[in-house]
Amino acid sequence: VQLQASGGGLVQAGGSLRLSCVVSGGTFSSYAMGWFRQAPGKEREFVATISWSGGNTYYADSVKGRFTVSRDNAKNTVYLQMNSLKTEDTAVYYCASGAGTVRTFRAGAWGQGTQVTVSS
């Protein structure tokens, strides 16, 4: 399984970005998917997960109400819509495929990461 994340960039605080992650080499529709991020000097942290069907989602408290995870199984792609961005959202964002429920997600494969920088 290979994951390719894209869509990162530089944005002002209060702005929006949409990240995409295309999955190849596996059965995308059978995977739960997750987004994680890692800021400089910090450990990688959970952002959001989505079930294989897209019917269930789960968010970190820090992004709830601002970020939306979705997926298009016909396009083998998972998205992360990020609105009302804050400087503390600056990080490298990673997508992951895996198993489990949206709350017990276990990553099996990771994408390469895409940089998101939010300026004040």
Side-chain angles (χ1 to χ4, degrees):
V1 177
Q2 293 185 326
L3 295 82
Q4 180 72 42
S6 62
L10 175 63
V11 63
Q12 287 190 329
S16 298
L17 281 175
R18 189 177 79 155
L19 306 184
S20 299
C21 176
V22 179
V23 179
S24 60
T27 307
F28 178 74
S29 59
S30 69
Y31 301 136
M33 296 294 298
W35 286 98
F36 295 77
R37 66 187 182 186
Q38 186 167 19
K42 294 187 177 181
E43 294 186 352
R44 190 173 298 188
E45 65 175 5
F46 163 76
V47 174
T49 47
I50 186 167
S51 62
W52 65 270
S53 67
N56 290 299
T57 57
Y58 182 55
Y59 298 92
D61 288 344
S62 59
V63 307
K64 199 174 298 181
R66 300 187 297 120
F67 290 11
T68 302
V69 60
S70 62
R71 65 190 294 160
D72 185 339
N73 285 350
K75 295 183 178 179
N76 287 6
T77 302
V78 61
Y79 304 98
L80 186 68
Q81 178 67 45
M82 305 185 295
N83 298 329
S84 302
L85 282 161
K86 304 176 181 180
T87 56
E88 52 263 45
D89 294 319
T90 294
V92 178
Y93 283 71
Y94 298 90
C95 58
S97 62
T101 70
V102 292
R103 292 178 178 264
T104 64
F105 178 80
R106 300 180 303 277
W110 295 88
Q112 87 287 2
T114 185
Q115 176 71 48
V116 172
T117 303
V118 184
S119 64
S120 58

